[in-house]
Amino acid sequence: MQAPGGDARYLPIGEHGLIGDLRTVALVGTDGTIDWYCCPSFDAPSVFASILDADRGGSFDLCADVPATTKQFYFPDTNVLITRFFADDGVGEIQDFMPVADDSGEADRHRLIRRVSCVRGRIPFRARVSPRFDYARQPHVVTREAGIVTFASPSLTLSLTSSVPLETDERDAWTAFELSEGEHAVFALDNMAPGVAPRACPLSEAEAEFTATVRFWRRWLSASRYRGRWREVVHRSALTLKLLTYAPTGGIVAAATTSLPERIGGGRNWDYRYVWIRDAAFCVYALLRLGFTEEAEAFMSFLSEHIKVSRDRRAGPLQIMYGIDGRADLPEQELHHLEGHRGSAPVRIGNAAAEQLQLDIYGALIDSIYLYNKWGDPISSDRWEDVCRLVDWVCDNWDQPDEGIWETRGGRKNFVYSRLMCWVAIERAMRMAAQRGLPADTPRWRRTRDTIYRDIMRHGWRPDLGAFVQHFDEDVLDASILMMPLAKFVSPTDPKWLSTLDALGQGLVSDSLVYRYDPEMSPDGLEGPEGTFSICSFWYVEALARAGRLDEARLAFEKMLTYANHLGLYAEEIGHNGEQLGNFPQAITHLALISAAFNLDHALG
């Protein structure tokens, strides 16, 4: 499926599924092409990146070699992806998956298995493996020995084995073959890390790996306690979040990709393969609500072990994001040799927003610690000392202008959401201190908390607009304000809040879709419009539900489900024609879906 008026070389962003091994992932198109894969980790340089440059990026093509229609689905309750080809003479399918290895040696292999079958009639297939290492910047050498094709670059070596004969040239490997009903072929791509020996993947081993991978995902999902109305979509969101988890540290990346555009042809293209502090509270809340205590504990361990409170940073003691291994240095650069998805340049790696001041992250982090202290394990004494240092810093700095939740690049402003989350940081810390009898400068914290509250009520509320607004003393609506009742800053039935909800519905909502803000009314330092933000749409559902407007909330939620892709996945944004835009899939959107479903279920009874 190609979007109307689109570049035929590219599938739309939403025409993809995701597979992975809890260390890295691959995007598989509905045409059978793997057009995004980084090895050996989420944020490593790409091997296949044709989603960012159809000619130079590299891909693993595998499809029926005759005209065929395709359909794609996940093997039930797993992250094993199946792409089916319906042709005149038969039906074929590809099972794509990455085994989740227990021991470190096999985990370093990052084996990607493509199991091809003919399920009816007779189908010809073709395959072409075209790696382009280091975002297509490094050359490589192809060798073939004992049935194993090796692609060797200066920084990474991959081996390819196949149950059908392969041909090679100086860059690629390819084959054409035909299968009759009941016949199979297997391709396996391995990372040749130190200590990992090349190994073939015969049909019997592929069958065993398939069975083990299905068993792994079903065993993991069986821990879910969710039994509500939207079990299938909630569980798909949970499975997607697990795929976006980096097992060695417990960090969850914001998205699997970099530089997928927020507008086709536009320049709002960012690298989301990092761990955002802002996502912390959403992660812990959603995971614990569903019953995934180990994942919540692992994420909290990432925060405590890898995120260090610094006294030296000019933009505050925490960065807004970190690498999956906890590293703080994420320099941003543009890759001018790649054209970008459907010509949407520039392609960026790294993220300069890591150096921004975004005060809301302190509320998000401390709220996550509060939630885990409440539903998981009590906070440790060392962690409490860190919390006190952060809260004291917030008390000193809450009134600074900052770049805000949306990481604008148009200069710092007095964002209401940033003030709101500073209030959350102090209020949640005060709750923990009271519940556990922990030492705290409570009088100072209380004075600052109350000052922030009054400041928001005085400068963040616009009587002429009848709404809380984006930043102080201006008339710009902002969807982040939907978090006010969710964060328990204001009652969901407070008259001021109900008036704000109406204003947001009239000014930023289209169908069930919610824009972040109007860039023309609030210049953000970037060019062009953007789509609606899916996380905001789920916040809107939850705000409606908490306000008691259940029919509206349920209808908005059901409409949002129609905007998912064919597998139930969401990118960051939804475009004018309902297309997925931005990095894909986005973790925080699926976290917001889980929260909205859980709370709407509760409200409906």
Side-chain angles (χ1 to χ4, degrees):
M1 174 183 171
Q2 180 60 41
D7 187 331
R9 298 175 302 152
Y10 293 91
L11 282 176
I13 293 168
E15 290 293 308
H16 291 86
L18 189 73
I19 60 172
D21 64 355
L22 307 185
R23 286 164 175 81
T24 187
V25 291
L27 288 185
V28 185
T30 52
D31 61 356
T33 297
I34 296 177
D35 55 14
W36 178 253
Y37 176 57
C38 298
C39 189
S41 61
F42 292 105
D43 57 356
S46 66
V47 174
F48 304 131
S50 58
I51 198 169
L52 295 178
D53 193 310
D55 298 326
R56 302 181 191 87
S59 63
F60 189 154
D61 302 331
L62 178 58
C63 63
D65 200 13
V66 290
T69 58
T70 63
K71 294 183 180 179
Q72 202 173 53
F73 67 100
Y74 279 110
F75 200 77
D77 295 334
T78 77
N79 281 315
V80 174
L81 186 65
I82 298 178
T83 307
R84 309 200 95 196
F85 298 86
F86 298 84
D88 288 342
D89 295 327
V91 179
E93 71 176 34
I94 305 168
Q95 298 170 347
D96 282 308
F97 60 97
M98 296 180 71
V100 182
D102 294 328
D103 65 278
S104 58
E106 279 304 292
D108 289 340
R109 185 180 296 275
H110 301 292
R111 170 161 275 188
L112 198 163
I113 296 177
R114 314 203 71 185
R115 192 166 172 245
V116 192
S117 0
C118 178
V119 296
R120 298 186 69 184
R122 189 171 183 83
I123 296 282
F125 290 91
R126 57 183 167 83
R128 188 174 195 94
V129 184
S130 307
R132 301 294 182 262
F133 294 91
D134 188 27
Y135 308 106
R137 294 183 296 188
Q138 286 187 3
H140 66 275
V141 174
V142 179
T143 58
R144 181 167 53 174
E145 184 176 352
I148 297 176
V149 175
T150 301
F151 305 95
S153 76
S155 61
L156 184 69
T157 297
L158 300 179
S159 70
L160 173 69
T161 60
S162 169
S163 62
V164 294
L166 294 166
E167 297 183 61
T168 61
D169 59 17
E170 68 278 3
R171 301 182 81 190
D172 301 345
W174 67 90
T175 187
F177 57 99
E178 194 166 84
L179 298 177
S180 296
E181 187 168 327
E183 291 182 334
H184 306 274
V186 171
F187 298 84
L189 188 67
D190 292 355
N191 172 35
M192 290 294 92
V196 177
R199 191 178 81 234
C201 185
L203 297 177
S204 58
E205 182 173 341
E207 173 70 25
E209 292 280 27
F210 173 85
T211 302
T213 304
V214 167
R215 186 186 308 117
F216 171 86
W217 288 114
R218 288 182 169 171
R219 185 188 304 121
W220 179 82
L221 189 62
S222 68
S224 171
R225 294 198 301 256
Y226 182 79
R227 299 293 183 270
R229 293 166 175 81
W230 296 283
R231 186 175 179 183
E232 185 174 347
V233 294
V234 166
H235 281 174
R236 177 50 52 198
S237 290
L239 285 162
T240 302
L241 290 171
K242 184 65 172 175
L243 273 181
L244 296 175
T245 301
Y246 185 63
T249 64
I252 299 176
V253 296
T257 56
T258 180
S259 299
L260 293 184
E262 297 175 16
R263 180 177 66 88
I264 300 300
R268 297 173 183 258
N269 316 320
W270 316 107
D271 194 344
Y272 278 13
R273 298 171 298 159
Y274 307 115
V275 183
W276 260 253
I277 294 296
R278 179 174 298 110
D279 297 3
F282 298 102
C283 285
V284 172
Y285 178 85
L287 292 170
L288 288 177
R289 282 300 195 194
L290 295 181
F292 296 113
T293 53
E294 289 185 10
E295 284 68 28
E297 181 180 350
F299 191 82
M300 294 306 296
S301 295
F302 173 85
L303 296 176
S304 61
E305 294 174 16
H306 297 282
I307 308 305
K308 303 304 180 185
V309 177
S310 171
R311 292 184 172 85
D312 303 324
R313 293 190 69 252
R314 293 175 57 192
L318 295 177
Q319 285 189 181
I320 69 164
M321 72 183 87
Y322 293 84
I324 55 176
D325 54 359
R327 72 187 187 281
D329 189 25
L330 306 173
E332 183 177 301
Q333 59 178 301
E334 297 182 0
L335 303 181
H336 298 290
H337 66 288
L338 297 178
E339 71 173 11
H341 179 75
R342 291 169 59 188
S344 304
V347 170
R348 294 182 174 94
I349 55 174
N351 201 313
E355 298 301 319
Q356 289 187 352
L357 173 66
Q358 296 180 20
L359 293 168
D360 67 282
I361 65 171
Y362 298 95
L365 177 62
I366 295 175
D367 195 23
S368 72
I369 296 170
Y370 163 77
L371 292 168
Y372 192 69
N373 177 73
K374 179 179 178 181
W375 292 327
D377 291 332
I379 188 172
S380 68
S381 55
D382 287 343
R383 196 58 172 160
W384 178 248
E385 291 299 319
D386 283 342
V387 168
C388 290
R389 281 193 288 271
L390 291 176
V391 174
D392 288 339
W393 185 88
V394 170
C395 288
D396 290 334
N397 295 277
W398 66 268
D399 56 353
Q400 291 188 54
D402 71 342
E403 278 88 3
I405 179 176
W406 306 129
E407 299 172 7
T408 58
R409 301 195 179 193
R412 294 181 177 180
K413 296 182 180 180
N414 294 309
F415 286 95
V416 173
Y417 182 77
S418 298
R419 303 293 195 271
L420 164 69
M421 295 307 289
C422 286
W423 179 90
V424 168
I426 301 170
E427 198 274 339
R428 300 302 192 266
M430 289 176 63
R431 286 197 198 188
M432 282 188 283
Q435 291 165 357
R436 295 278 312 284
L438 296 167
D441 191 354
T442 305
R444 184 193 183 210
W445 291 4
R446 180 179 292 110
R447 285 193 304 271
T448 308
R449 181 199 65 180
D450 295 348
T451 299
I452 296 172
Y453 179 91
R454 294 189 181 101
D455 210 39
I456 291 173
M457 289 299 183
R458 184 177 301 117
H459 299 289
W461 167 258
R462 299 294 290 174
D464 53 335
L465 194 63
F468 292 101
V469 290
Q470 185 179 62
H471 26 72
F472 282 2
D473 302 320
E474 295 189 26
D475 291 336
V476 178
L477 294 171
D478 190 305
S480 64
I481 299 303
L482 288 163
M483 280 296 295
M484 276 188 165
L486 279 58
K488 304 188 186 304
F489 176 85
V490 67
S491 164
T493 56
D494 185 292
K496 285 185 176 179
W497 173 249
L498 294 177
S499 176
T500 299
L501 192 55
D502 287 338
L504 291 170
Q506 293 166 13
L508 294 181
V509 178
S510 172
D511 197 32
S512 64
L513 303 173
V514 182
Y515 291 94
R516 295 188 297 180
Y517 54 89
D518 184 344
E520 292 186 5
M521 292 184 64
S522 179
D524 54 15
L526 301 167
E527 293 182 1
E530 61 183 14
T532 57
F533 256 62
S534 294
I535 181 177
C536 300
S537 302
F538 289 117
W539 287 349
Y540 183 58
V541 169
E542 193 164 344
L544 288 170
R546 289 173 184 256
R549 293 159 61 172
L550 296 184
D551 287 343
E552 292 176 68
R554 186 167 188 174
L555 181 59
F557 188 76
E558 295 288 358
K559 284 183 176 180
M560 270 305 296
L561 298 185
T562 71
Y563 286 107
N565 85 337
H566 58 290
L567 298 168
L569 305 182
Y570 291 88
E572 183 177 31
E573 301 184 19
I574 304 294
H576 182 69
N577 295 320
E579 72 272 26
Q580 302 283 333
L581 293 174
N583 285 307
F584 175 86
Q586 191 192 36
I588 200 168
T589 298
H590 287 276
L591 291 164
L593 182 155
I594 292 170
S595 180
F598 187 92
N599 285 287
L600 185 53
D601 262 324
H602 180 74
L604 290 169

